[in-house]
């Protein structure tokens, strides 16, 4: 423990949060106690409480981290591509990669987050999570507005409802493909990737401009 005492507070918090994340992935949040986290991180329970008041604070750290990771994937997808369809496909690939690398985060980021910062106590991480989520929504808004301006996407899209439906449908398709992979293969004769590509294309067709002969990737 002597070496640990010399480490900065942030290093201790990161180590504890990392251990907690592994336990949450394995057992689920509700089944994990502070005792479990302390043992997994190699701390006494008393020392654990020096760095975190309770399990909720640890969860808030992980939720914030998940939102930051998601923003990174979405931002990279939109920066690297220019055409509307190419940017859409990049978003889909980014979400798939995010789900593969961080399945626990993928589920956490879809959970309810606090938006009431006036009428109740809240953790600093909760407000930061909300802020990052708003930045993600703004990036998707820019994508939709750009596609509409180019004439690639329907001009009558209501932006905020479209953003939330966009997230719900894409994340739902990705999670469904992961949960039902064997059924999809047996009943449909499709690989997970083929099923996802079909679903992604269906969603894009629901928002693109229906102009015969128009290529949605036209600059």
């Amino acid at each position: 423990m002597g070496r640990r005492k010399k480490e900065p507070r942030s290093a201790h918090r990161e180590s504890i949060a990392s251990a907690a994340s592994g336990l949450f992935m394995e057992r689920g949040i509700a089944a994990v106690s502070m005792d479990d986290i302390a043992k997994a991180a190699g701390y006494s329970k008393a020392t654990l409480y020096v760095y975190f008041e309770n399990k909720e604070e640890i969860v808030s750290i992980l939720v914030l981290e998940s939102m930051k990771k998601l923003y990174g994937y979405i931002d990279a997808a939109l920066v690297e591509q220019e055409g509307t369809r190419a940017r859409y496909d990049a978003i889909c690939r980014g979400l798939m990669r995010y789900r593969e690398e961080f399945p626990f985060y993928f589920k956490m980021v879809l959970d309810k987050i606090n938006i009431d910062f006036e009428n109740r106590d809240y953790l600093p991480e909760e407000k930061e999570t909300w802020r990052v989520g708003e930045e993600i929504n703004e990036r998707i808004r820019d994508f939709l507005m750009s596609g509409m301006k180019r004439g690639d996407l329907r001009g009558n899209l209501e932006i905020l409802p479209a953003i939330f439906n966009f997230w719900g449908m894409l994340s739902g398709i990705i999670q469904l493909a992961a949960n039902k992979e064997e059924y999809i293969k047996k009943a449909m004769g499709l690989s997970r990737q083929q099923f996802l590509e079909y679903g992604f294309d269906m969603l894009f067709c629901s928002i693109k401009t229906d102009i015969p002969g128009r290529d949605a990737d036209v600059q």
Side-chain angles (χ1 to χ4, degrees):
M1 293 299 291
R3 180 186 62 83
R4 280 188 165 172
K5 289 180 180 178
K6 296 178 182 179
E7 294 176 344
R9 180 180 178 83
S10 60
H12 290 284
R13 285 171 62 87
E14 183 177 339
S15 177
I16 293 167
S18 177
S21 179
L23 291 176
F24 294 156
M25 289 177 65
E26 180 183 345
R27 307 180 195 175
I29 294 174
V32 175
S33 67
M34 289 292 274
D35 275 331
D36 296 329
I37 295 170
K39 291 176 183 177
Y43 291 79
S44 68
K45 189 175 180 180
T47 302
L48 188 68
Y49 279 106
V50 170
Y51 299 104
F52 290 99
E53 289 188 10
N54 49 45
K55 185 170 68 173
E56 287 68 30
E57 186 179 358
I58 299 175
V59 171
S60 73
I61 291 286
L62 295 175
V63 171
L64 174 57
E65 183 67 17
S66 76
M67 292 296 282
K68 288 180 177 179
K69 290 180 184 297
L70 180 56
Y71 178 85
Y73 280 98
I74 298 302
D75 184 63
L78 295 176
V79 168
E80 292 169 4
Q81 301 295 332
E82 294 186 6
T84 301
R85 182 59 196 252
R87 297 179 92 200
Y88 171 81
D89 289 340
I91 291 171
C92 293
R93 289 194 300 271
L95 283 173
M96 287 169 56
R97 181 182 172 194
Y98 178 60
R99 167 61 180 73
E100 290 299 317
E101 293 187 19
F102 307 102
F104 181 65
Y105 284 160
F106 186 85
K107 293 179 180 179
M108 289 180 73
V109 83
L110 299 177
D111 286 342
K112 180 179 179 180
I113 64 172
N114 178 37
I115 62 172
D116 182 1
F117 302 111
E118 295 181 0
N119 301 314
R120 53 158 293 203
D121 293 333
Y122 61 88
L123 296 166
E125 291 80 13
E126 290 183 294
K127 192 165 187 177
E128 181 66 7
T129 295
W130 172 82
R131 187 192 65 77
V132 175
E134 290 298 288
E135 289 186 359
I136 293 172
N137 288 340
E138 187 63 23
R139 297 296 280 133
I140 299 302
R141 177 186 179 280
D142 290 345
F143 160 71
L144 293 174
M145 293 294 290
S146 175
M148 292 166 67
K149 185 176 180 179
R150 293 178 178 185
D152 297 333
L153 303 180
R154 288 166 35 202
N156 63 346
L157 292 176
E158 295 184 36
I159 297 301
L160 192 55
I163 289 171
F164 272 74
N165 277 281
F166 189 84
W167 283 124
M169 292 176 186
L170 282 181
S171 59
I173 292 168
I174 292 170
Q175 192 61 51
L176 179 67
N179 293 345
K180 302 290 186 180
E181 184 171 7
E182 289 302 315
Y183 178 83
I184 290 168
K185 182 177 181 180
K186 183 176 181 180
M188 305 176 198
L190 299 175
S191 67
R192 186 201 298 194
Q193 183 64 34
Q194 289 171 324
F195 175 79
L196 285 171
E197 288 175 359
Y198 182 83
F200 294 154
D201 190 59
M202 280 188 65
L203 178 54
F204 186 78
C205 286
S206 74
I207 62 174
K208 76 174 185 176
T209 303
D210 189 14
I211 301 178
R214 182 178 179 85
D215 184 347
D217 268 338
V218 174
Q219 301 296 312

